Structures are given as C-alpha cells and as structure tokens.
Amino acid sequence: MKNLPLFALAWLLGAIAVPAQDVRYNFAQDSDFYKYKTYKWVNIKNADQVDEITAKQITSAVEAELAKKGLTKTDAEGAQLYLGYQTAVGTEKELNTYSTGWGYGPGWGGGWYGYRGGYYGGMTSTTTSGSTSTIYVGQLALDMYEVPKKDLVWRGVASKTLDPKAKPEKQEKNIKKAVAKLLKNYPPKQK
C-alpha cells in the first residue's frame, strides 16, 4: 500500500515519456468500400520523398494489411483504387494532391514513378484531385482515390510514425504498427 503513490508516479511518467501513435481517418460516406478489390500506387504531386528503404517499408506494410482485407495490388490500368502516401519528417508539411497525368496524346504526361508510357511525345494535360491540409512532423498520410471518378474516398493519418533518428529495427516496427492501426477499421462499416 505504501508503494501505491510511487507506482502511480512511475506509471504517469512512463505515459508521458512514451507517447502513443495517434491515428485518424475519414472516408466518403457514399462509397461502397466492399466493391474495391484492386489498387495501384501513385506518387503524390510535389510530396517530399523518403529514402528508398523507408518507402519500401511503408508500401510493404500497407500492402500486407490490404492483402488481409482482400485487396490486390496491380500495375494494370484497371485498378479500382489509387493509393498514395506522404510523409512529414523533420518539418511541418502541406498535404498535396496527386496528379493523374491523364490527357490527350500518346503515353502518360508525367504520372506516377516518372513513367510516361510508349514514348515522351504528344500533348498532355494534367488533372489533379484531392485537397490540401497539413501533416506534422513524423506523420504518415495515406490516401485512397476511386479511379473512375478520381475522388478521394479514404484518408488516414498516423502520427509519431517516422523518426529518422530511431534505430532501423525501431523505424520498421513503428511503420508496421502505425499502418496496422491506420487500416484496422478498413473497410469502414457501412450503415
């Protein structure tokens, strides 16, 4: 009984010293998420790029969680969802939209991963979709766009996820944990 105040103080200090990851998400209420079976990765326009190792850890974690939900990654144009992510490491960042690169002419007009299709010629226009908001240091933001309409249908943000000063094992563990929490309630329950 005498140690109870000391235990309570240690518990309180432990809770303050190790803040938990915070996860938030929002989705289009009119979307039928159970119809989506395939997705394709896209780059978010003007987003800062993380190093290749971290990028691979993020995409692998997302792909593993979505596979559990019955979604399949594809590189084909028939994907039902486009997925893109952004990170904020070191400074506050503005969350940007993705660019489709869809337009008139052969090939792609910029598009994802620098791919331009058959050749680099032709006239193209760029269509953007999404909205702008702010993500904070150490956050991972994941967006899902419905392909035919190019509408943002789901967005999730996980804080305290990315820490370039952490050891490699800890970084990967944080990413996996954050993505699992982020996609825990995907697909959203429909009323």
Side-chain angles (χ1 to χ4, degrees), residues 100-133:
T100 63
W102 295 336
Y104 176 78
W108 292 93
W112 308 287
Y113 300 104
Y115 180 68
R116 295 180 67 98
Y119 70 96
Y120 294 96
M123 294 175 50
T124 61
S125 64
T126 300
T127 303
T128 58
S129 181
S131 60
T132 302
S133 59

Side-chain angles (χ1 to χ4, degrees), residues 8 12 16 20 27 31 50 53 58 74 86 92 97 103 150 154-155 168 171 177 182 188 190-191:
L12 181 61
I16 292 170
F27 60 93
S31 291
V50 292
I53 295 170
I58 292 168
T74 182
Q86 294 185 67
E92 190 173 291
T97 60
K150 303 176 202 148
W154 192 92
R155 170 175 284 163
Q171 288 178 25
K177 181 179 172 185
L182 193 59
Q190 305 274 267
K191 292 183 178 182

Side-chain angles (χ1 to χ4, degrees), residues 11-34:
W11 179 81
L12 181 61
L13 289 174
I16 292 170
V18 183
Q21 290 174 323
D22 181 38
V23 172
R24 299 177 313 279
Y25 68 95
N26 199 359
F27 60 93
Q29 299 287 327
D30 59 343
S31 291
D32 179 8
F33 289 90
Y34 294 94

Side-chain angles (χ1 to χ4, degrees), residues 56-109:
K56 206 173 271 188
Q57 290 170 337
I58 292 168
T59 56
S60 294
V62 171
E63 290 169 5
E65 289 300 317
L66 290 179
K68 293 176 189 176
K69 312 272 184 189
L71 275 80
T72 304
K73 178 185 151 193
T74 182
D75 291 327
E77 295 309 313
Q80 296 168 312
L81 289 172
Y82 286 143
L83 267 61
Y85 69 88
Q86 294 185 67
T87 60
V89 180
T91 59
E92 190 173 291
K93 302 288 180 193
E94 187 172 279
L95 187 65
N96 298 300
T97 60
Y98 78 91
S99 173
T100 63
W102 295 336
Y104 176 78
W108 292 93

Side-chain angles (χ1 to χ4, degrees), residues 164-179:
K165 295 177 184 173
K167 292 181 179 179
E169 303 83 27
K170 180 70 171 170
Q171 288 178 25
E172 186 170 18
K173 181 180 175 184
N174 283 346
I175 290 170
K176 286 180 178 179
K177 181 179 172 185
V179 169

